[in-house]
Amino acid sequence: MSPTAQDQGRPEIRKGLNGVVADVSAISKVNPETNSLLYRGYPVPQLAATQPFESVAHLLWTGELPDEQELAALQDRFRAHRALDPTVKAALDALPTTCHPMDSVRTAISTLGALDPDAEDSSPVTELAKAERLTAQLPAVIAYEQRRRRAGGPTEPIPAREDLDHSRNFLWMTFGQEPAPEVVDAFRISLILYAEHSFNASTFTARVITSTLSDLHSAVTGAIGALKGSLHGGANEAVMHTFDEIGIRPGESAAEAKERARVWMEEALAQKRKVMGFGHRVYKNGDSRVPTMKQAMDAMIAHTGREEILGLYDGLEQAMDEAKSIKPNLDYPAGPVYHLMGFDTELFTPLFIAARVTGWTAHVMEQRASNALIRPLSHYDGADERAVPGA
Ligand code: COA
């Protein structure tokens, strides 16, 4: 909010659109007072406790959870699009393995849009089919990008498995191993928690692009650009960089790691550093998604025995709380969870895409159903009118 703007006789300007209600939406409800989040009316912790990711995708897109038959049909449609498209593979292979995987995934989505025969058809049925396809195609892209980076260049993708659900197959295509149930569960939960969060920066980007009557793949490509920034999705990756800076010492006790983390945080705050994974534009008393993700993290710690990660986590959280009362956001537990699963840190934000693509595309469809071009005004405060020299 910008009271200074009014002081100077300007219209009120809300920097960052802070506090501005830009439209109505029936997709999710973020309630900062009660620290709660609903998808289409359902509490998200309950969805995370009981539902496969595919059901939550269906819910976001259609407004209702699927019955058994609808879920089976959706899972079949997902399976049909799990393989890595050869043109997408060639596009990824043309990129250096040193580029950020967000750039690779953005390129892959753009390529999929160019290949999609229905790219320009935005009728509701086709739009929903495209949203499903894109969600089904993303794991192959992200899994391949992880493998390509580890191989140092083009490699063979791991073929999809027909017998696995979305979350299991995603992990299978990345690591080529049957994941343990604890790992699958933590991964599924992370996808559900990351799936949707009202008018955040990337979702709003997708809606702005859709409002020009552009296509769904363009909206998602633009949203990926917005998500990449460290004030948004890039924070899950940045959390791990903080852990790395403090030093991850496998085998260290939780208590020792916690103490080192506390000291680090005190120094960071004394230097007025912004510590990623803390704070939120909407939630000021804690992010509704953190307790569920933290539980999944605890299960991963128990599964892997990596107590030092828990120590670092607790140490930073407590020191931040004591110093500034700023609470962790979802990226804070999600980063360490993905690390414990074996993903490279740079792949964390692409994993966020694999989930948020469902929310983005639900918003694309909602925006299209009741569209108005999103085009705000600016208040000019540049140079007064003046003559061009010699004119
Ligand atoms: N580390 C240290 N201080 C923080 C902080 C953090 N992560 N987040 C907020 N603060 C402090 C700010 O420095 C500011 O202090 P000041 O009033 O003394 O200047 C105050 O809290 C308000 O922060 P502000 O950035 O104005 O709040 P915002 O609503 O505009 O920003 C975020 C919200 C998310 C951009 C901000 O909390 C942030 O940058 N967090 C780190 C990035 C992150 O984790 N993003 C993922 C979001 S899901």
Side-chain angles (χ1 to χ4, degrees):
M1 278 155 253
S2 173
T4 51
Q6 279 174 330
D7 298 341
Q8 294 162 18
R10 296 181 193 168
E12 188 191 355
I13 292 165
R14 300 217 179 172
K15 281 291 251 188
L17 303 182
N18 198 345
V20 172
V21 178
D23 204 342
V24 295
S25 175
I27 301 172
S28 67
K29 181 175 179 187
V30 182
N31 190 339
E33 276 79 47
T34 54
N35 280 3
S36 67
L37 174 63
L38 307 177
Y39 293 167
R40 303 280 191 186
Y42 291 116
V44 172
Q46 290 178 19
L47 292 170
T50 57
Q51 301 297 314
F53 173 67
E54 295 92 315
S55 293
V56 174
H58 185 282
L59 172 69
L60 292 171
W61 290 326
T62 68
E64 296 300 333
L65 284 167
D67 61 25
E68 249 176 65
Q69 275 183 338
E70 287 168 329
L71 175 60
L74 178 63
Q75 288 178 323
D76 279 348
R77 293 198 294 280
F78 270 25
R79 281 193 186 93
H81 296 286
R82 277 182 175 171
L84 184 64
D85 183 283
T87 309
V88 174
K89 179 179 184 305
L92 291 172
D93 285 342
L95 300 174
T97 51
T98 48
C99 78
H100 197 285
M102 286 297 278
D103 299 344
S104 307
V105 179
R106 195 188 58 224
T107 302
I109 301 305
S110 194
T111 307
L112 283 167
L115 295 173
D116 199 306
D118 294 329
E120 303 303 326
D121 180 350
S122 53
S123 59
V125 174
T126 314
E127 200 86 316
L128 176 57
K130 283 191 286 184
E132 290 179 3
R133 266 204 298 283
L134 205 44
T135 306
Q137 287 163 330
L138 265 161
V141 169
I142 296 167
Y144 181 68
E145 183 59 10
Q146 171 67 88
R147 299 189 69 74
R148 189 181 77 91
R149 292 167 63 83
R150 292 226 170 133
T155 184
E156 280 310 307
I158 295 179
R161 288 255 306 265
E162 286 280 313
D163 56 323
L164 303 178
D165 71 1
H166 187 76
S167 304
R168 277 191 182 77
N169 180 63
F170 197 148
L171 293 164
W172 164 258
M173 289 181 83
T174 309
F175 300 113
Q177 282 174 358
E178 284 262 10
E182 295 85 348
V183 178
V184 178
D185 216 39
F187 191 60
R188 178 190 61 78
I189 289 168
S190 77
L191 294 181
I192 291 175
L193 296 178
Y194 266 139
E196 159 61 11
H197 211 229
S198 76
F199 277 25
N200 54 83
S202 58
T203 300
F204 194 60
T205 303
R207 291 190 75 126
V208 169
I209 293 172
T210 305
S211 82
T212 70
L213 301 186
S214 187
D215 63 288
L216 179 136
H217 287 83
S218 295
V220 172
T221 305
I224 292 173
L227 187 71
K228 183 180 175 188
S230 65
L231 293 188
H232 190 7
N236 62 6
E237 179 183 332
V239 168
M240 224 50 228
H241 293 312
T242 300
F243 278 35
D244 285 336
E245 195 182 318
I246 301 167
I248 298 174
R249 300 178 186 162
E252 184 182 36
S253 74
E256 282 168 318
K258 185 172 172 180
E259 193 43 38
R260 287 194 299 113
R262 289 182 65 92
V263 171
W264 183 94
M265 181 64 97
E266 279 157 22
E267 284 170 11
L269 294 180
Q271 292 162 14
K272 305 244 174 286
R273 283 176 68 172
K274 210 159 216 192
V275 184
M276 297 297 146
F278 289 89
H280 198 275
R281 173 56 69 80
V282 181
Y283 299 114
K284 296 300 177 194
N285 295 309
D287 179 329
S288 67
R289 303 160 295 179
V290 166
T292 309
M293 197 66 232
K294 172 65 168 47
Q295 254 179 18
M297 187 185 112
D298 289 342
M300 282 297 294
I301 303 271
H303 174 65
T304 57
R306 297 282 301 277
E307 290 289 321
E308 84 285 2
I309 296 286
L310 185 61
L312 294 176
Y313 183 100
D314 286 343
L316 291 177
E317 183 187 17
Q318 279 182 20
M320 178 64 108
D321 196 29
E322 281 163 24
K324 299 189 71 136
S325 298
I326 298 176
K327 313 287 181 210
N329 57 55
L330 174 59
D331 292 315
Y332 189 57
V337 163
Y338 291 149
H339 171 79
L340 292 170
M341 285 173 184
F343 286 100
D344 287 351
T345 300
E346 291 69 27
L347 266 294
F348 294 1
T349 317
L351 295 173
F352 190 158
I353 298 177
R356 187 57 61 87
V357 68
T358 55
W360 288 336
T361 49
H363 279 273
V364 165
M365 291 186 266
E366 187 177 68
Q367 177 70 34
R368 217 182 282 293
S370 171
N371 191 45
L373 176 70
I374 299 173
R375 202 300 188 192
L377 300 175
S378 61
H379 177 82
Y380 179 72
D381 73 348
D384 286 339
E385 182 168 344
R386 51 190 166 154
V388 174

